[in-house]
Amino acid sequence: MGIGTIQNGYGVYERGENGEAKIKRSSFGRSPEKEGADKTEDYMAFLREKSEEILEKLRNGETEVEYPIGGESYTEKEWDKLMKKFDDIQEDVRRKMEERFQKMEEREEKKRIAEG
């Protein structure tokens, strides 16, 4: 590299004869045309992989987004169903506890009346 040149990851910037900055790309043994063709092929391969992945998910019925929670992974529908079950169980426990306390109060009341 000569005086007035700067190099970065994309190539070498050089000053031309008339003082203009021009870019001399670093091709690492490949021509710029070949490099562009390789990128296009890479992009096409990536798109093919993703489209096959999406098609496979559609075939298996796995179209919903899953969120990892703890050691499990749930879709929004599965999570809502789990929360509904949890709420129902929690409500059932609350109702049974209220019944239990009510029975205890009735026993205490009967005991006071019998002693009184």
Side-chain angles (χ1 to χ4, degrees):
M1 256 189 332
I3 296 175
T5 61
I6 302 171
Q7 183 175 2
N8 65 12
Y10 299 107
V12 177
Y13 293 90
E14 295 182 337
R15 294 275 175 206
E17 294 145 11
N18 57 0
E20 293 178 0
K22 28 181 220 185
I23 300 174
K24 179 181 174 185
R25 297 253 182 226
S26 175
S27 62
F28 300 108
R30 292 187 283 183
S31 66
E33 296 83 21
K34 177 70 174 156
E35 193 173 315
D38 287 346
K39 284 184 180 180
T40 303
E41 289 175 14
D42 290 345
Y43 292 140
M44 293 301 289
F46 175 77
L47 288 174
R48 268 193 301 277
E49 287 176 21
K50 283 298 178 182
S51 63
E52 288 173 10
E53 184 180 314
I54 291 169
L55 186 59
E56 187 65 29
K57 283 184 176 184
L58 285 172
R59 286 183 186 140
N60 295 336
E62 302 170 355
T63 55
E64 289 188 54
V65 177
E66 291 188 355
Y67 301 99
I69 299 171
E72 297 290 326
S73 181
Y74 298 98
T75 64
E76 289 183 10
K77 285 182 184 178
E78 291 171 336
W79 181 254
D80 289 342
K81 186 177 177 182
L82 179 67
M83 287 295 101
K84 174 92 170 91
K85 280 184 182 179
F86 181 81
D87 290 344
D88 290 345
I89 291 169
Q90 195 173 24
E91 180 64 28
D92 188 44
V93 168
R94 187 189 61 76
R95 218 177 31 248
K96 286 181 180 179
M97 289 298 291
E98 285 179 358
E99 289 173 7
R100 183 176 174 193
F101 286 129
Q102 188 177 14
K103 286 179 183 178
M104 283 176 52
E105 287 176 359
E106 288 174 2
R107 283 187 208 140
E108 297 255 337
E109 187 66 31
K110 285 181 183 178
K111 197 176 191 182
R112 277 189 227 137
I113 291 174
E115 289 177 359

PDB file of all heavy atoms in Angstrom, residues 57 61-69 72-76 78:
ATOM      1  N   LYS A  57     -43.087 -27.531   7.935  1.00  0.00           N
ATOM      2  CA  LYS A  57     -43.892 -27.124   9.091  1.00  0.00           C
ATOM      3  C   LYS A  57     -45.371 -27.094   8.739  1.00  0.00           C
ATOM      4  O   LYS A  57     -46.216 -27.482   9.546  1.00  0.00           O
ATOM      5  CB  LYS A  57     -43.440 -25.756   9.602  1.00  0.00           C
ATOM      6  CG  LYS A  57     -42.168 -25.804  10.401  1.00  0.00           C
ATOM      7  CD  LYS A  57     -41.820 -24.455  10.963  1.00  0.00           C
ATOM      8  CE  LYS A  57     -40.593 -24.537  11.831  1.00  0.00           C
ATOM      9  NZ  LYS A  57     -40.284 -23.267  12.473  1.00  0.00           N
ATOM     10  N   GLY A  61     -48.375 -29.332  10.426  1.00  0.00           N
ATOM     11  CA  GLY A  61     -49.314 -28.539  11.213  1.00  0.00           C
ATOM     12  C   GLY A  61     -48.648 -27.705  12.290  1.00  0.00           C
ATOM     13  O   GLY A  61     -49.263 -27.359  13.288  1.00  0.00           O
ATOM     14  N   GLU A  62     -47.384 -27.384  12.119  1.00  0.00           N
ATOM     15  CA  GLU A  62     -46.619 -26.607  13.105  1.00  0.00           C
ATOM     16  C   GLU A  62     -46.486 -25.156  12.642  1.00  0.00           C
ATOM     17  O   GLU A  62     -45.402 -24.612  12.562  1.00  0.00           O
ATOM     18  CB  GLU A  62     -45.229 -27.212  13.284  1.00  0.00           C
ATOM     19  CG  GLU A  62     -45.220 -28.639  13.727  1.00  0.00           C
ATOM     20  CD  GLU A  62     -43.850 -29.267  13.653  1.00  0.00           C
ATOM     21  OE1 GLU A  62     -42.903 -28.625  13.166  1.00  0.00           O
ATOM     22  OE2 GLU A  62     -43.733 -30.421  14.081  1.00  0.00           O
ATOM     23  N   THR A  63     -47.620 -24.529  12.372  1.00  0.00           N
ATOM     24  CA  THR A  63     -47.557 -23.179  11.814  1.00  0.00           C
ATOM     25  C   THR A  63     -47.526 -22.092  12.880  1.00  0.00           C
ATOM     26  O   THR A  63     -47.247 -20.948  12.566  1.00  0.00           O
ATOM     27  CB  THR A  63     -48.756 -22.922  10.890  1.00  0.00           C
ATOM     28  OG1 THR A  63     -49.967 -23.169  11.608  1.00  0.00           O
ATOM     29  CG2 THR A  63     -48.693 -23.834   9.678  1.00  0.00           C
ATOM     30  N   GLU A  64     -47.812 -22.453  14.118  1.00  0.00           N
ATOM     31  CA  GLU A  64     -47.821 -21.440  15.167  1.00  0.00           C
ATOM     32  C   GLU A  64     -46.426 -21.236  15.735  1.00  0.00           C
ATOM     33  O   GLU A  64     -45.619 -22.145  15.787  1.00  0.00           O
ATOM     34  CB  GLU A  64     -48.754 -21.860  16.301  1.00  0.00           C
ATOM     35  CG  GLU A  64     -50.212 -21.796  15.915  1.00  0.00           C
ATOM     36  CD  GLU A  64     -51.088 -22.023  17.115  1.00  0.00           C
ATOM     37  OE1 GLU A  64     -50.900 -21.299  18.114  1.00  0.00           O
ATOM     38  OE2 GLU A  64     -51.922 -22.921  17.054  1.00  0.00           O
ATOM     39  N   VAL A  65     -46.193 -20.040  16.206  1.00  0.00           N
ATOM     40  CA  VAL A  65     -44.918 -19.702  16.831  1.00  0.00           C
ATOM     41  C   VAL A  65     -44.900 -20.329  18.217  1.00  0.00           C
ATOM     42  O   VAL A  65     -45.886 -20.292  18.942  1.00  0.00           O
ATOM     43  CB  VAL A  65     -44.753 -18.170  16.948  1.00  0.00           C
ATOM     44  CG1 VAL A  65     -43.464 -17.817  17.656  1.00  0.00           C
ATOM     45  CG2 VAL A  65     -44.816 -17.532  15.590  1.00  0.00           C
ATOM     46  N   GLU A  66     -43.766 -20.928  18.592  1.00  0.00           N
ATOM     47  CA  GLU A  66     -43.614 -21.511  19.914  1.00  0.00           C
ATOM     48  C   GLU A  66     -42.662 -20.665  20.749  1.00  0.00           C
ATOM     49  O   GLU A  66     -41.683 -20.134  20.237  1.00  0.00           O
ATOM     50  CB  GLU A  66     -43.076 -22.938  19.815  1.00  0.00           C
ATOM     51  CG  GLU A  66     -44.057 -23.901  19.225  1.00  0.00           C
ATOM     52  CD  GLU A  66     -43.584 -25.342  19.320  1.00  0.00           C
ATOM     53  OE1 GLU A  66     -42.442 -25.580  19.765  1.00  0.00           O
ATOM     54  OE2 GLU A  66     -44.371 -26.221  18.951  1.00  0.00           O
ATOM     55  N   TYR A  67     -42.991 -20.564  22.038  1.00  0.00           N
ATOM     56  CA  TYR A  67     -42.163 -19.802  22.957  1.00  0.00           C
ATOM     57  C   TYR A  67     -41.588 -20.749  24.004  1.00  0.00           C
ATOM     58  O   TYR A  67     -42.344 -21.476  24.647  1.00  0.00           O
ATOM     59  CB  TYR A  67     -42.987 -18.710  23.651  1.00  0.00           C
ATOM     60  CG  TYR A  67     -43.610 -17.745  22.693  1.00  0.00           C
ATOM     61  CD1 TYR A  67     -44.945 -17.857  22.311  1.00  0.00           C
ATOM     62  CD2 TYR A  67     -42.863 -16.707  22.157  1.00  0.00           C
ATOM     63  CE1 TYR A  67     -45.511 -16.965  21.422  1.00  0.00           C
ATOM     64  CE2 TYR A  67     -43.423 -15.814  21.271  1.00  0.00           C
ATOM     65  CZ  TYR A  67     -44.758 -15.947  20.909  1.00  0.00           C
ATOM     66  OH  TYR A  67     -45.311 -15.064  20.031  1.00  0.00           O
ATOM     67  N   PRO A  68     -40.266 -20.766  24.181  1.00  0.00           N
ATOM     68  CA  PRO A  68     -39.693 -21.629  25.212  1.00  0.00           C
ATOM     69  C   PRO A  68     -39.947 -21.045  26.594  1.00  0.00           C
ATOM     70  O   PRO A  68     -39.667 -19.883  26.851  1.00  0.00           O
ATOM     71  CB  PRO A  68     -38.203 -21.645  24.881  1.00  0.00           C
ATOM     72  CG  PRO A  68     -37.962 -20.406  24.095  1.00  0.00           C
ATOM     73  CD  PRO A  68     -39.249 -20.074  23.403  1.00  0.00           C
ATOM     74  N   ILE A  69     -40.532 -21.874  27.471  1.00  0.00           N
ATOM     75  CA  ILE A  69     -40.822 -21.454  28.837  1.00  0.00           C
ATOM     76  C   ILE A  69     -40.324 -22.563  29.742  1.00  0.00           C
ATOM     77  O   ILE A  69     -40.860 -23.665  29.733  1.00  0.00           O
ATOM     78  CB  ILE A  69     -42.333 -21.215  29.045  1.00  0.00           C
ATOM     79  CG1 ILE A  69     -42.804 -20.118  28.113  1.00  0.00           C
ATOM     80  CG2 ILE A  69     -42.624 -20.866  30.496  1.00  0.00           C
ATOM     81  CD1 ILE A  69     -44.286 -19.933  28.054  1.00  0.00           C
ATOM     82  N   GLU A  72     -39.938 -26.461  28.662  1.00  0.00           N
ATOM     83  CA  GLU A  72     -40.929 -26.771  27.632  1.00  0.00           C
ATOM     84  C   GLU A  72     -41.017 -25.640  26.616  1.00  0.00           C
ATOM     85  O   GLU A  72     -40.483 -24.562  26.806  1.00  0.00           O
ATOM     86  CB  GLU A  72     -42.315 -26.969  28.275  1.00  0.00           C
ATOM     87  CG  GLU A  72     -42.392 -28.124  29.238  1.00  0.00           C
ATOM     88  CD  GLU A  72     -42.299 -29.464  28.543  1.00  0.00           C
ATOM     89  OE1 GLU A  72     -42.793 -29.599  27.409  1.00  0.00           O
ATOM     90  OE2 GLU A  72     -41.708 -30.384  29.140  1.00  0.00           O
ATOM     91  N   SER A  73     -41.763 -25.908  25.552  1.00  0.00           N
ATOM     92  CA  SER A  73     -42.007 -24.910  24.523  1.00  0.00           C
ATOM     93  C   SER A  73     -43.492 -24.960  24.189  1.00  0.00           C
ATOM     94  O   SER A  73     -44.028 -26.037  23.916  1.00  0.00           O
ATOM     95  CB  SER A  73     -41.161 -25.227  23.288  1.00  0.00           C
ATOM     96  OG  SER A  73     -41.364 -24.259  22.314  1.00  0.00           O
ATOM     97  N   TYR A  74     -44.172 -23.830  24.238  1.00  0.00           N
ATOM     98  CA  TYR A  74     -45.616 -23.786  24.049  1.00  0.00           C
ATOM     99  C   TYR A  74     -45.995 -22.819  22.936  1.00  0.00           C
ATOM    100  O   TYR A  74     -45.402 -21.749  22.811  1.00  0.00           O
ATOM    101  CB  TYR A  74     -46.323 -23.312  25.331  1.00  0.00           C
ATOM    102  CG  TYR A  74     -46.127 -24.222  26.511  1.00  0.00           C
ATOM    103  CD1 TYR A  74     -45.171 -23.939  27.472  1.00  0.00           C
ATOM    104  CD2 TYR A  74     -46.908 -25.352  26.672  1.00  0.00           C
ATOM    105  CE1 TYR A  74     -44.981 -24.761  28.563  1.00  0.00           C
ATOM    106  CE2 TYR A  74     -46.741 -26.184  27.767  1.00  0.00           C
ATOM    107  CZ  TYR A  74     -45.774 -25.886  28.703  1.00  0.00           C
ATOM    108  OH  TYR A  74     -45.590 -26.696  29.791  1.00  0.00           O
ATOM    109  N   THR A  75     -47.051 -23.185  22.187  1.00  0.00           N
ATOM    110  CA  THR A  75     -47.656 -22.232  21.270  1.00  0.00           C
ATOM    111  C   THR A  75     -48.597 -21.364  22.100  1.00  0.00           C
ATOM    112  O   THR A  75     -48.875 -21.669  23.262  1.00  0.00           O
ATOM    113  CB  THR A  75     -48.447 -22.947  20.158  1.00  0.00           C
ATOM    114  OG1 THR A  75     -49.528 -23.663  20.745  1.00  0.00           O
ATOM    115  CG2 THR A  75     -47.560 -23.874  19.357  1.00  0.00           C
ATOM    116  N   GLU A  76     -49.110 -20.313  21.501  1.00  0.00           N
ATOM    117  CA  GLU A  76     -50.021 -19.442  22.252  1.00  0.00           C
ATOM    118  C   GLU A  76     -51.292 -20.186  22.642  1.00  0.00           C
ATOM    119  O   GLU A  76     -51.806 -20.013  23.746  1.00  0.00           O
ATOM    120  CB  GLU A  76     -50.337 -18.195  21.430  1.00  0.00           C
ATOM    121  CG  GLU A  76     -49.150 -17.261  21.333  1.00  0.00           C
ATOM    122  CD  GLU A  76     -49.448 -15.982  20.575  1.00  0.00           C
ATOM    123  OE1 GLU A  76     -50.622 -15.693  20.274  1.00  0.00           O
ATOM    124  OE2 GLU A  76     -48.487 -15.254  20.279  1.00  0.00           O
ATOM    125  N   GLU A  78     -51.595 -23.476  23.177  1.00  0.00           N
ATOM    126  CA  GLU A  78     -51.254 -24.404  24.246  1.00  0.00           C
ATOM    127  C   GLU A  78     -51.078 -23.668  25.574  1.00  0.00           C
ATOM    128  O   GLU A  78     -51.497 -24.155  26.622  1.00  0.00           O
ATOM    129  CB  GLU A  78     -49.963 -25.162  23.906  1.00  0.00           C
ATOM    130  CG  GLU A  78     -50.098 -26.137  22.765  1.00  0.00           C
ATOM    131  CD  GLU A  78     -48.769 -26.699  22.304  1.00  0.00           C
ATOM    132  OE1 GLU A  78     -47.718 -26.053  22.514  1.00  0.00           O
ATOM    133  OE2 GLU A  78     -48.782 -27.795  21.715  1.00  0.00           O
TER     134      GLU A  78
END
